Amino acid sequence: MIGIVGIGAAGGNIADLAFENGINAVALNFSERDLESLDFVEERLTLIGSEGVGKNRDEAINLMVDKNWEMALKFIKENFSTPSTEIIMVCFSAGGGSGGGIGPMLVDLLAQEMDDKAIVAVPILPDTTEALVHQVNALYVTEELSRQDLCVLPIDNEQVKKKNPNAGKARIFKETNETFVNLISTLPKYTDRHSKHGVLDKKDLRTIFFHKRNFCYFICRNNKIR
Ligand SMILES: Nc1nc2c(ncn2[C@@H]2O[C@H](COP(=O)(O)OP(=O)(O)OP(=O)(O)O)[C@@H](O)[C@H]2O)c(=O)[nH]1
Ligand SMILES: [Mg+2]
């Protein structure tokens, strides 16, 4: 019932891992080489206009508006229009140029164009030791997302970095991505559980992700079930 759209390098890595774990997932990127580096995800879209925007969000946004949005929307609709996909999670690095530029724009567009689905923004936040350009991009992204009535599920690289201060990037990324994909994989299983105190059915799960205000509710309820 959950579909994953991965944008840019980080988003693509999450989509790849999700697909490996049986979740329907697709990847979009300006960089064909980044897309080629993925091992599992089958549906990949190379965006037109650049081989990578070098952390420049404005360039990604301009290229998206000028050349790519129709093609990207068609690609996502083709892969996720079936009623069985009820929640679409769009994963992207808030610090990257492609992810940070396209992510907030695309979730807004999808919420309008696919209004029967719950669209969830999943920005990956840079850890505090990363370059200034990542931090500044992430600030713009969180500001843009805060203006939209969408559920936001941030993935915070800093939390994993704090627990493993000497770990290199590869390990931080691996652990962060695996934690997220494991959590997402277990979510639909809650709808199979029964209790005389209440049941979480598929419709409830979708409703939880429908709007921003439902996020706190999700955290509370999820903790209780655990
Ligand atoms: N959790 C996680 N973070 C990642 C991963 N790959 C990159 N990042 C983070 O993402 C940010 C860099 O963004 P990228 O995804 O490489 O950038 P992009 O969206 O491809 O954009 P451009 O390369 O600028 O066109 C940094 O903050 C990295 O720490 C990953 O696999 N997992
Ligand atoms: Mg990139």
Side-chain angles (χ1 to χ4, degrees), residues 8-10 13 34 52-55 93 96-99 124 126 130 134 157 173 176-177:
N13 290 341
D34 275 354
V53 297
K55 312 303 161 209
S93 64
S98 302
I124 301 161
E130 287 190 49
H134 293 126
N157 283 355
F173 293 172
T176 316
N177 299 358

Side-chain angles (χ1 to χ4, degrees), residues 6-7 20 22 35-37 45 74 77 85 94 104 110 113 146 148 151 155 165 168 170 172-174 177 186 189 196:
I7 307 169
E20 186 187 0
L35 286 175
E36 279 166 6
S37 76
L45 181 71
K74 184 166 170 269
K77 282 185 175 172
T85 304
L110 290 178
E113 295 277 334
S146 73
Q148 299 177 24
C151 178
I155 296 179
I172 306 269
F173 293 172
K174 183 172 183 289
N177 299 358
T186 56
K189 294 182 191 145
K196 61 184 173 193

Side-chain angles (χ1 to χ4, degrees), residues 127-129 157-169 171-172 175:
D127 75 58
T128 53
T129 64
N157 283 355
E158 177 66 15
Q159 301 308 315
V160 178
K161 175 92 179 163
K162 257 201 278 187
K163 278 195 271 163
N164 311 277
N166 299 319
K169 266 188 179 179
R171 179 149 165 239
I172 306 269
E175 197 165 325

Side-chain angles (χ1 to χ4, degrees), residues 137-158:
N137 280 346
L139 281 177
Y140 280 113
V141 167
T142 45
E143 207 264 327
E144 283 166 20
L145 290 176
S146 73
R147 284 193 254 120
Q148 299 177 24
D149 184 23
L150 283 176
C151 178
V152 180
L153 286 184
I155 296 179
D156 188 1
N157 283 355
E158 177 66 15

Side-chain angles (χ1 to χ4, degrees), residues 14-34:
I14 292 195
D16 206 40
L17 187 64
F19 195 83
E20 186 187 0
N21 283 271
I23 300 171
N24 192 14
V26 302
L28 287 77
N29 206 327
F30 285 107
S31 164
E32 201 156 7
R33 282 177 60 202
D34 275 354

Side-chain angles (χ1 to χ4, degrees), residues 163-215:
K163 278 195 271 163
N164 311 277
N166 299 319
K169 266 188 179 179
R171 179 149 165 239
I172 306 269
F173 293 172
K174 183 172 183 289
E175 197 165 325
T176 316
N177 299 358
E178 282 176 359
T179 306
F180 176 74
V181 170
N182 287 342
L183 283 170
I184 294 307
S185 307
T186 56
L187 267 182
K189 294 182 191 145
Y190 285 118
T191 62
D192 298 331
R193 295 191 184 179
H194 305 283
S195 157
K196 61 184 173 193
H197 304 300
V199 169
L200 181 81
D201 61 29
K202 285 202 167 73
K203 217 169 176 178
D204 291 333
L205 188 58
R206 193 179 74 129
T207 305
I208 287 167
F209 286 112
F210 234 101
H211 299 286
K212 191 182 277 175
R213 62 179 173 275
N214 287 328
F215 180 46

